Amino acid sequence: MLKSRTAAGRAVTGRWGTDILPPTAQQWADALRAFRCVAHAATEDGESTDSHFG
């Protein structure tokens, strides 16, 4: 992921956060067991910004 960041993404390296998205209860019941990791950069007011990956 580091190499795929855009120039704007490299500028906010100190403000990265991550979230893990588990499957919903219905997805789990349907045997879909994928967990997704999402990285995001936040602005100073706490709002998430646009994509920083190419």
Side-chain angles (χ1 to χ4, degrees), residues 2-14:
L2 287 175
K3 290 182 180 182
S4 68
R5 287 181 298 164
T6 63
R10 289 187 291 276
V12 293
T13 56

Side-chain angles (χ1 to χ4, degrees), residues 2 6-7 11-13 18 20 24 26 28-29 32-33 37 39-40 44 46 52-53:
L2 287 175
T6 63
V12 293
T13 56
T18 57
I20 299 172
T24 65
Q26 184 60 53
W28 192 268
L32 299 172
R33 308 283 164 87
C37 295
H40 57 87
E44 291 188 15
H52 292 296
F53 297 95

